[in-house]
Amino acid sequence: MASDPTNIDKSRSPYAPNLISDSDGYPEKRVGYRTLAVVESPVNAIFFANIKGKDEFIIHGGTKLYKWTVGQTPTVIKSDINNAKSVGFVFKNIFYIFTGKEYLYYNGTEIKNVSETAKIPLHIIARSPNGGGKVYEHINLLQSKRQNSFLGDGTSKEYCLSSKNIKAVNEIKVDDKILATEEYSVNLADGKVTFKTAPPNPKVVGRDNVLITFEYITKGYRERIENCTISTLYGYGNNDRVIISGNSAYKNYDWISELNDPTYFADTSYNIVGNESTAIMGYCKIGSSLAIIKESNAQDSTIFFRTAIQQNDKIIFTTKQSIVGIGMIAKNSVGTIDDEAVFLSERGVYAITKNNLTANDTVQNRSWFINNAIIEEDNLKDATVISHQNRYMISINGNVYLLDGNSKKVHTEKTNGDFIYECYQWDNIYARCFLSHQEVLYFGTHKGEVCRFNTDIHDMKRYSDNGMPIEASFTTMADDDGDFSKYKTLLKNGFTVKLKPYPRSSVSVYLQTDNKDKIKVDEEFMDIFDWADIDFSRFTFNGSNSPQVIAIKTKCKNYITMQIIVSNAKVNEGFGILGITKNSIKGKFVR
């Protein structure tokens, strides 16, 4: 897909849909998929969570959230949520999800907005009845409630809160005893509480003994968090904090939760990352640092590195700018191959790496073989990606583009001394979201289907997409047999195809030359006898598991370049190519 069909290696193909490398590097048909469940469309996300020791799949379909056990019908656990792609994570046996409008949690029995139970910060301590004190905990953006802690003096009845125009006083404790509402009055506008009886001096000298919990609403605070669409876990030596971004109103902002508490985002714990004109698009861990990847911008850094350091018994997060230019085009399109972080840009898939000469951070293209196809896809910003079995997969418009970390890396002059991955293209896979769990790859579609690839099926039924055939092909280069100045003639007995053995398989062979359109020249069944799978309409005594060699008896005259296409488009049939040979003779010079 990167070069002209006449200018590629003979072992490669300019068009090879629905193939993947086997363990020896030969192309074979990909496995198919099947639908396991149907939910409200579209499927926005599929998650797996272990919640209090219980494994559960959670599906965000349309405006509903479902819990699901494979083999059963999904059960709705929440309705009327935002219908958009969502992100989620598990933290301390609780599942959290950002829908772009809500921030919800599910503990296995109930699902609620995080704001309903978010931490109430002890905002001011050591406060006297008429004011003062010091900040102990900052305001929680998700929680409109906060607390003021006072030092009673035994005489004052009027206590001034740290905010005016409050919504309500929720609770008052004096010496750890909750007071009845009849024991005090509240002036909401002035933010004052008047006690009928003055609270006493503290029992322990210098220790606060009056605690007032009240509610003050700052417009837009909660939405800063709830409207986020990107999340990751990160911290000092472990993943003890949640970092979020993706709020379109604050597109170059991100927020860091408090230690071990995803319900507490302090109003001071935000960062402004780079230029405000370019949005944060995703995160990936590189060593002990967190890479922050933004949209492309030719003038400003697009990749920043955040590091957690310990300073005076506190954890400090520092952020520095790094790479300029190439950025991410689709949100959350970060993945890994081996231990290398890769992401999707408008120019293909890039890896964050080190310059071979300077050791500075840089990016390198890893998808050169399929760049042209990727960048020509419509609405690439809507792509979804997954890292699965050491492969990075991009789904867009029914196509999946795959970078294979299991194959040998390729070095060409196009890589400037670096490498690229072997690449493949699959079709008829309309994945809107992916989930990789225990070596199984699931995906959800725009139609509400929850599907999985047939890797658990070991007979030929694995080779179908919901019962429909998978069309797999391998097209050779436009071969001029080493001399484009002369016409060639394909010898009638000089054309063979060597194929992998399967209990059920067949092949169609086509030729296409510079002066003739694609024509079929042969079609063969290549079944192996199997008592478990007998079809009398194509019965065979062949019991050999050795490769199948097909001799194609055809003749083709006066061509300059020729392409050979071998394909299989039959349901429940395997297909793999081990080799193609052709013999020709040269004729007259081209005129």
Side-chain angles (χ1 to χ4, degrees):
M1 294 180 177
S3 301
D4 186 274
T6 63
N7 191 34
I8 62 173
D9 188 278
K10 287 190 176 184
S11 65
R12 300 191 176 279
S13 173
Y15 180 68
N18 295 314
L19 296 178
I20 189 65
S21 286
D22 67 10
S23 57
D24 293 319
Y26 291 103
E28 65 178 1
K29 184 192 282 190
R30 66 165 174 85
V31 298
Y33 59 83
R34 64 189 187 274
T35 298
L36 301 179
V38 178
V39 297
E40 182 180 301
S41 63
V43 182
N44 291 311
I46 309 170
F47 306 99
F48 175 83
N50 183 279
I51 303 172
K52 298 179 180 178
K54 184 179 179 181
D55 292 343
E56 294 200 47
F57 287 91
I58 298 168
I59 305 168
H60 179 190
T63 60
K64 296 181 174 63
L65 206 62
Y66 302 78
K67 67 176 181 179
W68 175 56
T69 300
V70 177
Q72 299 182 13
T73 301
T75 302
V76 176
I77 57 175
K78 179 75 172 174
S79 299
D80 300 321
I81 63 175
N82 189 43
N83 186 0
K85 286 185 178 181
S86 54
V87 295
F89 58 92
V90 176
F91 199 99
K92 293 188 179 300
N93 290 313
I94 296 176
F95 172 72
Y96 296 86
I97 181 173
F98 286 95
T99 69
K101 292 294 182 182
E102 299 100 354
Y103 180 30
L104 309 171
Y105 76 88
Y106 175 57
N107 60 13
T109 56
E110 63 180 2
I111 183 165
K112 290 184 176 181
N113 286 301
V114 173
S115 61
E116 294 182 45
T117 56
K119 176 183 171 62
I120 301 172
L122 177 54
H123 182 41
I124 303 293
I125 63 172
R127 188 172 177 87
S128 65
N130 63 353
K134 62 180 181 180
V135 174
Y136 180 70
E137 293 177 329
H138 291 282
I139 302 302
N140 186 353
L141 293 172
L142 286 166
Q143 178 60 265
S144 57
K145 296 176 183 177
R146 61 200 66 173
Q147 296 176 326
N148 285 178
S149 178
F150 295 83
L151 193 67
D153 59 12
T155 58
S156 299
K157 293 183 178 181
E158 189 176 85
Y159 280 61
C160 298
L161 300 173
S162 57
S163 298
K164 296 182 179 181
N165 297 312
I166 64 175
K167 183 179 180 181
V169 168
N170 308 98
E171 182 183 83
I172 297 177
K173 287 183 179 180
V174 176
D175 292 329
D176 295 323
K177 177 185 176 182
I178 300 175
L179 298 188
T181 55
E182 294 82 10
E183 298 181 66
Y184 59 86
S185 61
V186 178
N187 185 321
L188 298 177
D190 292 338
K192 291 181 180 180
V193 174
T194 302
F195 293 91
K196 288 185 177 179
T197 301
N201 289 310
K203 296 177 181 179
V204 178
V205 176
R207 179 182 293 177
D208 290 352
N209 65 330
V210 178
L211 181 66
I212 301 177
T213 303
F214 65 98
E215 189 170 4
Y216 177 84
I217 296 176
T218 304
K219 186 178 180 181
Y221 260 24
R222 199 174 75 184
E223 288 78 7
R224 293 186 188 186
I225 305 302
E226 292 181 336
N227 292 359
C228 286
T229 54
I230 301 167
S231 72
T232 192
L233 301 179
Y234 182 65
Y236 180 69
N238 52 39
N239 295 324
D240 52 19
R241 299 173 194 260
V242 181
I243 299 181
I244 59 173
S245 188
N247 185 329
S248 59
Y250 299 87
K251 58 186 182 179
N252 66 325
Y253 282 59
D254 67 3
W255 291 264
I256 303 175
S257 78
E258 294 303 300
L259 181 67
N260 291 317
D261 192 350
T263 75
Y264 186 11
F265 289 87
D267 60 350
T268 57
S269 294
Y270 67 92
N271 299 273
I272 301 174
V273 183
N275 193 297
E276 64 181 8
S277 65
T278 53
I280 295 172
M281 301 296 284
Y283 300 96
C284 64
K285 296 181 183 69
I286 299 179
S288 61
S289 297
L290 182 70
I292 307 167
I293 310 175
K294 301 185 67 182
E295 295 172 305
S296 292
N297 186 329
Q299 285 78 41
D300 190 31
S301 292
T302 52
I303 299 179
F304 294 73
F305 285 96
R306 176 168 292 145
T307 304
I309 58 175
Q310 188 169 5
Q311 190 176 91
N312 298 326
D313 296 326
K314 290 185 178 181
I315 304 303
I316 306 297
F317 294 92
T318 62
T319 302
K320 68 173 184 177
Q321 58 185 356
S322 180
I323 300 165
V324 177
I326 298 294
M328 194 183 300
I329 190 170
K331 279 185 180 180
N332 299 302
S333 59
V334 176
T336 57
I337 305 177
D338 291 326
D339 60 350
E340 180 173 71
V342 294
F343 64 92
L344 179 62
S345 80
E346 68 271 22
R347 291 164 56 184
V349 179
Y350 278 76
I352 302 174
T353 184
K354 296 285 186 181
N355 184 284
N356 290 335
L357 296 176
T358 65
N360 292 330
D361 295 312
T362 186
V363 292
Q364 287 280 352
N365 185 271
R366 295 288 191 246
S367 59
W368 182 78
F369 287 132
I370 54 172
N371 274 350
N372 291 345
I374 292 175
I375 64 179
E376 288 176 4
E377 289 283 357
D378 293 333
N379 300 313
L380 192 58
K381 63 181 177 59
D382 296 326
T384 186
V385 310
I386 191 72
S387 293
H388 176 71
Q389 294 182 332
N390 206 33
R391 293 164 175 158
Y392 177 81
M393 303 169 66
I394 307 160
S395 175
I396 181 70
N397 301 324
N399 292 313
V400 168
Y401 298 96
L402 185 150
L403 279 64
D404 188 8
N406 300 314
S407 299
K408 186 177 179 181
K409 298 177 177 66
V410 181
H411 292 261
T412 76
E413 69 276 4
K414 302 291 184 180
T415 66
N416 296 320
D418 223 9
F419 63 87
I420 50 181
Y421 293 105
E422 293 287 1
C423 300
Y424 300 89
Q425 180 262 329
W426 300 348
D427 61 25
N428 193 40
I429 300 173
Y430 291 87
R432 175 173 165 82
C433 59
F434 283 113
L435 169 67
S436 176
H437 173 61
Q438 293 183 345
E439 300 301 309
V440 179
L441 184 58
Y442 301 86
F443 66 92
T445 73
H446 291 78
K447 295 182 179 180
E449 301 156 316
V450 179
C451 307
R452 69 155 290 173
F453 283 90
N454 296 329
T455 49
D456 60 326
I457 299 175
H458 301 291
D459 61 22
M460 293 298 98
K461 290 185 176 63
R462 74 197 316 237
Y463 296 110
S464 76
D465 289 344
N466 270 334
M468 299 300 293
I470 303 166
E471 184 174 349
S473 297
F474 185 92
T475 303
T476 66
M477 68 177 292
D479 192 4
D480 61 11
D481 297 335
D483 190 348
F484 57 83
S485 69
K486 291 184 178 181
Y487 292 108
K488 274 76 65 175
T489 296
L490 178 68
L491 297 179
K492 187 174 182 180
N493 294 314
F495 181 13
T496 58
V497 178
K498 186 179 182 181
L499 299 152
K500 293 185 67 173
Y502 294 92
R504 286 263 178 254
S505 187
S506 63
V507 64
S508 296
V509 183
Y510 302 84
L511 295 182
Q512 182 168 306
T513 67
D514 57 284
N515 58 11
K516 289 184 180 179
D517 293 333
K518 175 181 172 182
I519 58 169
K520 182 187 285 189
V521 295
D522 200 4
E523 184 173 9
E524 300 279 351
F525 293 114
M526 301 171 297
D527 297 349
I528 299 172
F529 181 79
D530 184 353
W531 283 109
D533 183 14
I534 297 177
D535 183 349
F536 287 102
S537 67
R538 47 195 281 185
F539 187 82
T540 180
F541 288 105
N542 176 32
S544 172
N545 286 320
S546 60
Q548 307 282 307
V549 178
I550 308 297
I552 294 94
K553 298 184 182 300
T554 189
K555 196 169 185 178
C556 184
K557 296 181 178 180
N558 297 326
Y559 68 86
I560 301 173
T561 62
M562 173 184 287
Q563 287 184 283
I564 300 168
I565 303 107
V566 290
S567 67
N568 174 284
K570 301 290 179 62
V571 68
N572 299 334
E573 289 190 358
F575 178 66
I577 305 116
L578 298 175
I580 300 171
T581 65
K582 68 179 176 70
N583 292 275
S584 62
I585 57 174
K586 296 180 182 179
K588 298 178 181 179
F589 285 102
V590 174
R591 291 184 296 175

